[in-house]
């Protein structure tokens, strides 16, 4: 048997990080939005005892430690299903970009596996959270959601199909755990600010250039000193959109309801820093 699924990327339109918890994670309040940009996963299933092999990750991590292998093993333990899984992935989402590729890959694989032998939703949710904090959004968040707790509390909201330019540095990527540690050092004495969730939705429904008055990404200060991001922000300042980094970086984006703004942003980025970045035009779903 052979099954295929797309695993879409996300951007965080808002990301407020609370204090470090005793379990090593941080409380979050975020607005996640799903992108058209996607990895493609194909799963081949043969009879036999349980095993999982993932092909196509090209040395991103040690074999067997990737998010899809971990998700498949947890699903097997919970469902008792046996079989030999070979997962092939066409990787289009850059790694360590803050676009959620690894989490989305795992979520898409779990959805496919769950069609073979469905688990109760709360069990699937538990597995998703064990694989990674962003995985519940990809399984249960629809195209846009408010995400809270460690990432496990997901409230879908009506999405807006906006244009996006994604800009990924060629020689700079970000480890999530290191970015959180960097953030803790930067703001040891600050009190985090969370917005009332209903207000967050109201702001999201306003025009993108107005978001800058209320939305923010707490990780932005962790890259703000780097000349490339200063340059990108200066380019974004003159445009009718909202620009910041996604997740803990390294991807910078600008989102707008005006497609000509996205085209203009791409031209400007290519003209000024084109040798140091890779750009994609995409859309929020
Ligand atoms: O859950 P995930 O494996 O994606 O998290 C990677 C790392 O990011 C964690 O080990 C932790 O250091 C940090 N993290 C955090 N608080 C969160 C999510 C992630 O501190 N809510």
């Amino acid at each position: 048997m052979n099954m295929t699924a797309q695993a879409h990327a996300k951007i965080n339109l808002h990301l407020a990080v609370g204090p470090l918890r005793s379990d090593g994670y941080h409380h979050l309040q975020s607005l996640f939005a799903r992108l058209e940009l996607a990895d493609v996963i194909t799963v081949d299933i043969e009879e036999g005892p349980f095993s999982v092999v993932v092909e196509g990750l090209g040395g991103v991590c040690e074999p067997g430690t990737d998010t899809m292998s971990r998700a498949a093993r947890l699903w097997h333990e919970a469902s008792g299903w046996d079989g030999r899984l070979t997962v092939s992935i066409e990787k289009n989402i850059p790694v360590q970009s803050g676009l959620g590729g690894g989490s989305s890959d795992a979520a898409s694989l779990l959805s496919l596996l769950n069609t073979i032998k469905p688990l109760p939703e709360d069990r699937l949710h538990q597995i998703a959270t064990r694989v990674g904090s962003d995985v519940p959004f990809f399984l249960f968040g629809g195209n846009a959601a408010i995400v809270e707790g460690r990432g496990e509390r997901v409230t879908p909201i009506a999405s807006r199909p906006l244009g996006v330019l994604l800009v990924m540095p060629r020689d700079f990527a970000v480890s999530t755990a290191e970015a959180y540690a960097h953030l803790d050092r930067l703001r040891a004495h600050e009190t985090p600010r969370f917005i009332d969730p209903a207000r967050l939705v109201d702001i999201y429904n306003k025009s993108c250039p107005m978001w800058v008055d209320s939305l923010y990404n707490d990780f932005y200060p962790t890259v703000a000193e780097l000349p490339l991001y200063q340059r990108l922000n200066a380019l974004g300042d003159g445009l009718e959109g909202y620009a910041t980094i996604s997740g803990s970086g390294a991807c910078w984006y600008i989102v707008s309801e005006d497609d000509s703004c996205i085209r203009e942003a791409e031209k400007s980025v290519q003209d000024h820093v084109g040798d140091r970045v890779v750009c994609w035009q995409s859309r929020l779903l």
Side-chain angles (χ1 to χ4, degrees), residues 250-271:
C251 191
W252 181 92
Y253 69 82
I254 180 162
V255 57
S256 176
E257 40 268 286
D258 178 0
D259 287 348
S260 68
C261 163
I262 300 300
R263 285 194 295 275
E264 208 181 312
E266 179 165 30
K267 180 165 183 333
S268 186
V269 168
Q270 291 290 11
D271 287 351

Side-chain angles (χ1 to χ4, degrees), residues 24-26 28 132-133 150 176-177 180:
Y25 289 90
H26 294 72
L28 304 177
S133 306
R150 184 198 133 190
T176 307
Y180 273 101

Side-chain angles (χ1 to χ4, degrees), residues 117-263:
K117 192 167 176 190
L119 293 173
E121 190 173 304
D122 59 338
R123 196 73 189 87
L124 195 61
H125 191 286
Q126 263 173 14
I127 292 174
T129 308
R130 279 183 67 186
V131 177
S133 306
D134 289 352
V135 181
F137 164 73
F138 287 107
L139 269 177
F140 302 109
N143 288 336
I146 306 281
V147 174
E148 296 164 299
R150 184 198 133 190
E152 78 284 8
R153 271 166 42 209
V154 175
T155 311
I157 59 173
S159 65
R160 298 183 61 195
L162 302 165
V164 187
L165 180 72
L166 302 168
V167 180
M168 181 68 191
R170 287 182 195 276
D171 59 359
F172 178 63
V174 173
S175 138
T176 307
E178 281 170 24
Y180 273 101
H182 186 177
L183 183 59
D184 288 336
R185 287 193 300 274
L186 274 184
R187 55 165 211 191
H189 304 295
E190 274 178 43
T191 313
R193 316 147 291 163
F194 282 175
I195 302 177
D196 173 62
R199 207 179 134 239
L200 193 52
V201 175
D202 283 346
I203 298 162
Y204 170 56
N205 285 316
K206 292 188 173 145
S207 159
C208 302
M210 293 174 73
W211 295 357
V212 72
D213 298 332
S214 316
L215 303 189
Y216 49 88
N217 182 335
D218 270 332
F219 283 106
Y220 192 75
T222 65
V223 300
E225 300 296 314
L226 300 174
L228 176 62
Y229 291 91
Q230 291 181 352
R231 201 69 200 274
L232 289 169
N233 257 16
L235 296 175
D237 272 350
L239 297 168
E240 284 292 296
Y242 174 76
T244 188
I245 56 169
S246 184
S248 54
C251 191
W252 181 92
Y253 69 82
I254 180 162
V255 57
S256 176
E257 40 268 286
D258 178 0
D259 287 348
S260 68
C261 163
I262 300 300
R263 285 194 295 275

